[in-house]
Amino acid sequence: MTTLPRKDLFDLPEGMTYLDGNSLGPLPKALPARLDAMVRDEWGAHLIKGWNACAWMDQPARVGNRVGALIGAPDGTVTMGDTLSVKVYQALSAAVQMRPDRKVILSDNGNFPSDLYMAQGLIQQLGQGHELRLVDPEDVAGAITDEVAAVMITQVDYRSGRMHDMNAVTAAAHEAGAVMIWDLAHSAGAVPVDVAACGCEFAVGCTYKYLNGGPGAPAFIYVDPAIVGDIKPALSGWLGHDAPFAFDLDYRPGMGIERMRVGTPPVMQLTALEAALDAWDGVSMADLRAASMRLTDVFIEQVEARCPELTLASPRDAHQRGSQVSFAHEEGYAVMQALIARDVIGDFRAPNLIRFGFTPLYIDEGDVIAAVDVLADVLNNRLWDAPEYKTRSRVT
């Protein structure tokens, strides 16, 4: 197995401590050359012949298998493409169809809002009396009743890093006869995941965070192979058809996970992601998780010792949180802007959280201590209390 970190594989700006890989991963050094080769030697040289000559049409399955290996999914059960919101919609609409006599979609109030928006939109479109029911994260398992058609949960809370027990929640859903959907946006590449072992019907996620696929990198969807042949895709796209180049006028779903494809594969983005995934070759998720827990523990210990005005907003027990840590401060936005101005990069989440991601592929304990040095200076000397740090940008 490969030792961590692997900083030599990433293009990290000199002097920067990058603790925002949970939002957007950095550029892998090998990616520009691979993407340039694709543009020049594949698209440029082959033009439309590239779909066959360069196996572009096979990318969603090929890259899906590589992502699947990081989440415990067997080959042939994950496909790539579209955005995470689209994949949430696909999974949720299929799940609701599987339980036509039930009208409740259960989620928690810590879920990422986009997932909830997609559920609200689906309910409105169906017009069949469905309800999106939200409970506190701690209450999810106990709220799964025989009214629930689908349970839709993000494993790691985007704000606090609190982590659900996938096996326990999935078991509770199945005991009540509900369909289980996991959003792995903050899990894939951050914590060990085994979708096959937990038995969930669906899992979705993005690849621009811990997997370093770049801005707008394509999302993924996993479907349990035992049920995929019965799924009736609500987004019945051309490339989800059983024979797209037969140009039938009526939709006939493709075999297996192929039916969850929608539109034309984003070849350049998939090529970038494929290059980024090389950084995972030889990496043990167990070793990565152990390193992540050490880094977050050190960060919390140092911050609480040196920055007493901050309040921990993440679980203290490393086993109960993902690979991120959040602290609360009434001027959290300004604090984060002051940090960013000093090349310590995290982000802000409303209403008052400063959030930091810990990615052992390229972060070590020295980075953690360096970040706390700057944070302590910003707080203890009130460097955040300047007008330029209080003007909100569009992206926080």
Side-chain angles (χ1 to χ4, degrees):
M1 292 297 177
T2 300
T3 57
L4 298 169
R6 311 183 73 186
K7 291 189 178 189
D8 59 308
L9 299 183
F10 294 91
D11 193 354
L12 296 163
E14 185 175 355
M16 177 182 289
T17 304
Y18 192 68
L19 301 180
D20 209 13
N22 56 310
S23 191
L24 178 66
L27 175 68
K29 287 181 179 178
L31 194 154
R34 176 67 188 93
L35 196 55
D36 182 71
M38 178 268 149
V39 170
R40 296 177 184 275
D41 301 335
E42 296 184 15
W43 179 18
H46 294 283
L47 284 83
I48 200 167
K49 294 186 296 181
W51 288 107
N52 292 318
C54 305
W56 294 342
M57 194 61 77
D58 300 330
Q59 273 189 313
R62 184 173 70 245
V63 180
N65 286 340
R66 296 187 69 182
V67 172
L70 296 174
I71 62 169
D75 282 358
T77 62
V78 174
T79 193
M80 311 296 303
D82 317 302
T83 67
L84 178 52
S85 292
V86 170
K87 294 308 179 195
V88 168
Y89 188 93
Q90 284 184 286
L92 191 56
S93 60
V96 168
Q97 289 182 65
M98 292 169 64
R99 299 292 184 269
D101 56 331
R102 300 185 178 204
K103 299 299 181 182
V104 174
I105 298 168
L106 180 72
S107 192
D108 69 66
N109 51 30
N111 205 346
F112 193 68
S114 182
D115 290 15
L116 306 181
Y117 302 159
M118 297 309 290
Q120 292 165 3
L122 175 65
I123 288 170
Q124 183 177 17
Q125 185 178 45
L126 290 174
Q128 296 175 6
H130 288 84
E131 168 196 350
L132 175 60
R133 184 175 297 173
L134 302 181
V135 298
D136 291 337
E138 299 81 3
D139 298 334
V140 167
I144 307 174
T145 67
D146 59 9
E147 300 175 282
V148 176
V151 181
M152 179 184 65
I153 301 292
T154 298
Q155 185 194 16
V156 176
D157 188 300
Y158 76 101
R159 293 172 302 183
S160 69
R162 180 195 182 276
M163 189 161 60
H164 283 280
D165 184 328
M166 281 186 70
N167 290 335
V169 174
T170 302
H174 290 169
E175 185 176 355
V179 177
M180 188 72 231
I181 305 166
W182 284 104
D183 184 335
L184 304 178
H186 289 274
S187 305
V191 298
V193 176
D194 194 335
V195 292
C198 89
C200 62
E201 284 82 2
F202 300 92
V204 297
C206 56
T207 61
Y208 47 80
K209 301 180 188 295
Y210 295 98
L211 301 186
N212 311 304
F220 65 84
I221 185 168
Y222 159 83
V223 183
D224 182 345
I227 67 166
V228 71
D230 297 321
I231 298 300
K232 298 178 176 61
L235 299 177
S236 45
W238 176 47
L239 289 181
H241 193 281
D242 182 50
F245 286 91
F247 299 107
D248 293 337
L249 298 183
D250 295 316
Y251 180 77
R252 184 175 70 252
M255 297 294 292
I257 196 65
E258 289 283 303
R259 69 184 55 199
M260 304 309 281
R261 292 174 63 165
V262 182
T264 303
V267 175
M268 284 187 278
Q269 286 284 10
L270 282 168
T271 299
L273 175 59
E274 200 163 12
L277 289 171
D278 288 346
W280 291 92
D281 290 346
V283 174
S284 158
M285 284 304 300
D287 290 347
L288 181 130
R289 175 62 171 160
S292 165
M293 293 168 72
R294 287 194 301 272
L295 293 174
T296 53
D297 278 342
V298 169
F299 184 71
I300 291 171
E301 176 185 346
Q302 290 287 316
V303 170
E304 291 191 323
R306 300 174 62 187
C307 309
E309 65 190 278
L310 294 178
T311 302
L312 181 65
S314 298
R316 188 169 299 279
D317 183 350
H319 295 89
Q320 297 178 8
R321 65 175 181 261
S323 202
Q324 62 192 67
V325 174
S326 295
F327 281 91
H329 187 283
E330 62 181 4
E331 293 288 346
Y333 182 81
V335 170
M336 183 52 68
Q337 295 311 300
L339 285 172
I340 292 171
R342 289 158 178 81
D343 265 349
V344 174
I345 313 298
D347 57 23
F348 169 79
R349 288 297 176 260
N352 63 349
L353 297 181
I354 53 174
R355 187 179 73 158
F356 304 88
F358 297 85
T359 46
L361 282 183
Y362 51 85
I363 295 294
D364 59 25
E365 190 168 324
D367 297 312
V368 172
I369 300 302
V372 179
D373 287 343
V374 177
L375 178 59
D377 186 38
V378 165
L379 289 169
N380 297 337
N381 294 299
R382 292 182 63 88
L383 301 180
W384 55 265
D385 195 11
E388 62 266 30
Y389 299 141
K390 298 181 180 182
T391 301
R392 296 288 178 105
S393 299
R394 185 171 183 180
V395 177
T396 65

